[in-house]
Amino acid sequence: MLTPLLQTWVAVIATLAIFSFVIKENPMYRFFEYTVIGMSAAHSVVMTWDNYTKPFWNNYVLKGEYYLLIPGAIALLYYFRYAPGKLQWVYRYPLALIMGYEIGYAMAYDPRPFMVQVRGTFENLASLNNWLYLLVFFAALTYFVFTFWNKSKGMNASR
């Protein structure tokens, strides 16, 4: 165990070594850069384990509330992004779930920003400029919906 005085001096030396990068990159900077990154990663792992993971397992899962593991299982599907070959499509399911949830939540609890945009497109159709804007809006929407060819086999089964 380090004494407080020794801890302070180690912190001072580490800070000076990190700031030595301002002059030029050097071995001292490189050593303390990796040391600080490693210590930060280790600290965050230990804190996560002590503050979240261990209490979660002790208070909920080991007492029979297994349904709380479902979000973790869904989150593990994100790692299929790095799977070889034909399994990469699996990562899209948790992505679709979170996007659908967030969009639904935003539309249910705070729809004003979206509705203001939709209303702004259709209001004040008294001038030619606003009608022209509406025409360009629908032309662009039609172009992007119907023009791009989707290369997915499931989407193009009828073509």
Side-chain angles (χ1 to χ4, degrees), residues 2-158:
L2 297 176
T3 65
L5 181 64
L6 187 58
Q7 286 177 352
T8 303
W9 277 107
V10 168
V12 166
I13 292 169
T15 303
L16 290 174
I18 293 294
F19 279 128
S20 72
F21 180 75
V22 172
I23 299 168
K24 180 181 163 188
E25 186 169 342
N26 54 58
M28 214 47 187
Y29 164 76
R30 183 73 70 182
F31 172 76
F32 278 100
E33 177 188 25
Y34 292 140
T35 303
V36 167
I37 290 171
M39 289 173 60
S40 297
H43 181 265
S44 67
V45 166
V46 169
M47 294 304 287
T48 301
W49 174 259
D50 283 341
N51 292 334
Y52 300 106
T53 308
K54 193 165 74 172
F56 171 76
W57 281 90
N58 289 337
N59 296 336
Y60 299 108
V61 177
L62 294 179
K63 292 184 179 176
E65 297 183 33
Y66 301 114
Y67 65 90
L68 293 173
L69 295 175
I70 293 172
I74 292 172
L76 287 175
L77 294 177
Y78 277 114
Y79 287 105
F80 276 92
R81 176 73 173 115
Y82 306 109
K86 298 185 179 197
L87 288 175
Q88 285 188 349
W89 59 270
V90 176
Y91 90 95
R92 293 180 182 168
Y93 284 108
L95 194 63
L97 282 171
I98 195 69
M99 286 176 63
Y101 171 79
E102 292 295 330
I103 291 170
Y105 184 85
M107 291 300 288
Y109 291 103
D110 192 17
R112 180 169 163 68
F114 304 106
M115 293 301 119
V116 168
Q117 281 185 318
V118 171
R119 189 186 72 218
T121 303
F122 295 101
E123 70 182 6
N124 271 344
L125 293 176
S127 71
L128 180 63
N129 192 27
N130 293 343
W131 277 101
L132 186 62
Y133 172 79
L134 190 63
L135 179 71
V136 169
F137 168 76
F138 279 117
L141 187 67
T142 305
Y143 175 77
F144 283 110
V145 169
F146 294 114
T147 306
F148 291 110
W149 180 265
N150 192 338
K151 294 180 179 156
S152 170
K153 290 179 183 175
M155 295 296 290
N156 296 322
S158 63

